[in-house]
Amino acid sequence: MIKQFIDKLLGHGAGGKGGKRRFGKRQEVPASVHGIDPQLVDRRAVDVVRTLKDAGFEAYIVGGAVRDLLLGLKPKDFDVATNATPEQVKGLFRRAFIIGKRFRIVHVVHGRGREHEVIEVSTFRAYLDNTAAEQVSGNEKTSKAALAGMKHAVDSSGRVLRDNVWGPQDEDAARRDFTVNAMYYDPETQIVVDYHKGIADANARVLRMIGDAAARYREDPVRIIRAVRFAAKLSRLGFALEPKTAKPLVASEHLLQEVPQSRLFDEMLKLLQTGHSLASVEQLRKLGLARGIYPLLDIVVARADLPMVKAVLADTDRRVGEGKAVAPSFLLACVLWQDVQERWQHNLARGEHAFPALQGAIDSVFEQRIGDVSGRGKLAADMREIWAMQPRFEKRSGNQPFGMVAHIRFRAGFDFLRLRADVGEVEEELVSWWQEFSIADDGRREDMLAQVREQLRQSQRERQRKAPAKAGAAPARGVAKALAAHEDADMAPPDAGDGVPHDAPKKRRRRRRKPAGSGQGEAQHPPGDGA
């Protein structure tokens, strides 16, 4: 009895300060109350739960999937939580892989190729006092050696760097972020286990942080971005952040400076590529977070009202809603196209040739705006090809159009061109031409190219009649025409005359005069003048 009294006084055990339960009270809610439709549950997630339970472990579908099921939505991803350790989970499945260091989890893979699906399985974690955790002075990279072997560690600001101490389900629920994300669903019994009144908050359309919001943001600053993402995703259903959850967001924003850039980049993509990008921009502005989360995200928010950027955000939301794939390279290429054009013009003004000027602009913009993030190589290659294709679309002669439609990135480049036409940057006729050319047979393609050549001849004759060029004056060129001329010179076949672009004026041969005494008069230039 004395020990129980001391524990209660110090806040140990199940009872916290003032007798309040620290980990919430377990409530088992039957299907007749929560109303989840079993048909919305992914069969592969059900198989994972069944396999774990058949092996003697506890297992539930957990997190956002349960929230969406309660709201009648079909979840995009299904996660499973269990009391089995990662090693025990891995041993039960043929294709399972332990990943992560900060949080060790297991990916159970179903299917192959593009049809594959990953069910993420995590082990119930203990709710630990982070003030008692081991502390390192640096971050994940600078303190890599010190973190080796640690199960629970924080940095000097209190941000959790390791959290791999296993515990019971009620403690696992307490360390999750929002009440509506802390519920567990058993697809076999159809019972929802709720410790923090998540069902009540879902019905009230409230996003509430479990525990003290400021402390939870300090433990993991990425929760700031997650708060914005959930508020954006669920705003159309009437959800809003609870005031105590929203209030510390701006004051906690500086904590994101200690988060690895690659992780912030990934979280930014989740904001923009989960079907709620326009709503995410709105929430960032509404919550006072329009600047300061991540430099590239700042640019997106600042340019979100520009026609090109607004169009790509809306198109991304539409594609996600239709179940189509989206690529970060395409979205970011649209956002940063303005920078590429400005830098390209700057390089041309310095006297650089068109094509090297474009490549230099692309390199400069990518280095300045993207920086060092995971997957940078592929991202750079995809964005570079999308940008470099744009001026080539305006050159419809020779064999280049055949090479364009055979290019592995033609569809991405063409979609980019279509978006430019939608905002009035290029003519719609150009987009229609490439659309038809891409699906036509070879005979029709030859006819289309012949028509383009004839149109060019007619246009040239018309220009010559209306505005004859001044002697010695070079014709004015836009950026795209300058690049096309440069490519003509580079790609001219060996028998193409003197190797200059076809639109360049021909050099006139100077006739050599006969030497004096030949009866044809004297030479006009003294010897050695190069005549």
Side-chain angles (χ1 to χ4, degrees):
M1 181 174 289
I2 294 176
K3 183 179 184 302
Q4 292 177 348
F5 174 77
I6 294 175
D7 286 343
K8 184 175 181 180
L9 184 67
L10 297 177
H12 295 168
K17 187 175 180 179
K20 183 179 179 180
R21 291 184 60 85
R22 186 177 188 184
F23 304 123
K25 182 179 180 181
R26 179 184 175 102
Q27 293 183 333
E28 294 187 356
V29 183
S32 59
V33 175
H34 61 66
I36 287 177
D37 181 1
Q39 299 300 317
L40 295 177
V41 183
D42 192 298
R43 61 174 180 79
R44 286 159 288 200
V46 175
D47 290 343
V48 171
V49 170
R50 183 178 297 114
T51 299
L52 287 163
K53 292 180 73 174
D54 288 346
F57 299 107
E58 295 179 64
Y60 301 84
I61 293 171
V62 69
V66 182
R67 177 201 64 222
D68 288 350
L69 289 169
L70 281 170
L71 298 173
L73 306 175
K74 185 173 178 60
K76 181 181 178 182
D77 302 305
F78 284 82
D79 298 337
V80 171
T82 179
N83 62 345
T85 66
E87 290 76 15
Q88 291 171 328
V89 174
K90 186 178 185 301
L92 293 174
F93 300 93
R94 185 173 62 86
R95 297 180 64 205
F97 309 91
I98 298 176
I99 66 167
K101 294 180 180 178
R102 182 167 175 265
F103 298 123
R104 294 180 69 233
I105 59 178
V106 180
H107 278 179
V108 178
V109 182
H110 294 265
R112 295 185 180 277
R114 293 186 177 182
E115 301 302 321
H116 84 285
E117 180 178 353
V118 173
I119 304 297
E120 189 172 285
V121 183
S122 61
T123 304
F124 296 151
R125 285 176 171 80
Y127 190 100
L128 301 173
D129 183 356
N130 291 321
T131 61
E134 297 180 88
Q135 187 176 110
V136 296
S137 57
N139 55 32
E140 291 92 331
K141 290 185 176 180
T142 59
S143 302
K144 197 171 183 178
L147 287 168
M150 289 187 180
K151 291 186 175 182
H152 187 213
V154 298
D155 65 9
S156 57
S157 68
R159 181 168 64 96
V160 178
L161 302 181
R162 292 289 184 272
D163 187 2
N164 291 301
V165 180
W166 319 131
Q169 186 186 46
D170 61 342
E171 294 188 22
D172 184 75
R175 57 164 295 282
R176 293 181 179 271
D177 46 21
F178 298 95
T179 58
V180 294
N181 293 342
M183 294 176 284
Y184 304 78
Y185 175 65
D186 184 338
E188 294 188 331
T189 64
Q190 297 187 37
I191 286 175
V192 170
V193 178
D194 183 4
Y195 288 94
H196 299 280
K197 300 181 179 179
I199 291 180
D201 282 347
N203 291 333
R205 301 301 195 254
V206 172
L207 284 170
R208 187 192 314 275
M209 183 70 72
I210 298 173
D212 179 68
R216 303 308 303 277
Y217 295 141
R218 190 163 52 250
E219 291 171 359
D220 184 4
V222 168
R223 287 185 176 130
I224 296 170
I225 306 176
R226 285 170 60 83
V228 175
R229 178 155 58 89
F230 292 137
K233 176 180 180 178
L234 300 173
S235 60
R236 64 185 179 89
L237 298 178
F239 275 79
L241 289 169
E242 181 250 351
K244 290 182 180 179
T245 299
K247 186 177 180 179
L249 284 171
V250 174
S252 303
E253 188 179 26
H254 70 281
L255 298 170
L256 289 165
Q257 296 174 9
E258 298 301 320
V259 177
Q261 293 292 294
S262 58
R263 190 176 178 210
L264 289 178
F265 182 80
D266 291 341
E267 290 296 330
M268 177 195 70
L269 293 184
K270 290 179 182 178
L271 271 181
L272 301 177
Q273 292 197 287
T274 53
H276 316 283
S277 61
L278 290 172
S280 294
V281 170
E282 182 182 347
Q283 285 293 327
L284 286 166
R285 291 171 173 172
K286 177 182 176 181
L287 296 169
L289 300 171
R291 293 189 60 83
I293 286 183
Y294 185 60
L296 190 53
L297 182 60
D298 293 347
I299 296 172
V300 176
V301 177
R303 298 179 180 176
D305 294 327
L306 297 179
M308 182 80 165
V309 178
K310 189 173 184 178
V312 73
L313 293 176
D315 188 63
T316 299
D317 290 349
R318 176 188 63 79
R319 290 183 63 86
V320 173
E322 294 174 356
K324 297 179 180 179
V326 293
S329 54
F330 185 84
L331 188 152
L332 295 178
C334 292
V335 171
L336 299 179
W337 177 235
Q338 173 184 324
D339 299 271
V340 172
Q341 289 180 305
E342 291 174 355
R343 189 66 191 176
W344 190 8
Q345 291 285 0
H346 174 76
N347 291 347
L348 287 172
R350 295 194 310 176
E352 296 183 24
H353 289 294
F355 194 70
L358 173 60
Q359 296 301 324
I362 291 172
D363 290 340
S364 176
V365 170
F366 196 88
E367 193 66 35
Q368 178 185 1
R369 297 301 197 189
I370 303 295
D372 184 18
V373 297
S374 60
R376 184 176 186 272
K378 185 179 186 308
L379 189 72
D382 292 350
M383 292 173 68
R384 180 186 299 277
E385 289 174 345
I386 290 172
W387 285 330
M389 278 184 182
Q390 299 313 301
R392 294 188 178 116
F393 279 116
E394 299 195 32
K395 184 178 183 301
R396 294 172 287 171
S397 61
N399 291 324
Q400 182 162 316
F402 291 95
M404 284 284 285
V405 295
H407 197 289
I408 191 173
R409 292 283 176 270
F410 171 77
R411 179 49 56 181
F414 175 75
D415 287 345
F416 192 94
L417 180 72
R418 186 194 299 277
L419 206 59
R420 291 174 62 207
D422 289 344
V423 300
E425 190 174 309
V426 296
E427 294 293 333
E428 185 64 39
E429 182 275 334
L430 183 65
V431 177
S432 299
W433 190 93
W434 279 103
Q435 172 68 29
E436 183 178 354
F437 188 86
S438 67
I439 61 177
D441 58 29
D442 287 345
R444 175 57 183 153
R445 289 178 177 179
E446 292 291 354
D447 290 342
M448 293 177 67
L449 292 174
Q451 291 173 7
V452 170
R453 286 194 294 269
E454 181 58 30
Q455 291 171 1
L456 289 174
R457 291 192 191 100
Q458 291 178 359
S459 298
Q460 187 174 10
R461 286 194 293 266
E462 188 69 21
R463 285 195 303 269
Q464 289 173 349
R465 282 197 302 267
K466 291 183 177 180
K470 294 181 179 180
R477 299 176 185 272
V479 168
K481 291 182 179 179
L483 179 60
H486 180 81
E487 290 179 340
D488 277 345
D490 285 350
M491 298 187 296
D495 59 347
D498 55 6
V500 300
H502 298 295
D503 58 351
K506 293 183 178 180
K507 292 183 178 179
R508 299 183 63 181
R509 294 175 61 101
R510 181 181 296 170
R511 296 182 63 184
R512 186 182 298 274
R513 293 183 179 272
K514 292 184 178 181
S518 64
Q520 299 295 327
E522 297 180 357
Q524 294 184 5
H525 304 284
D529 69 349

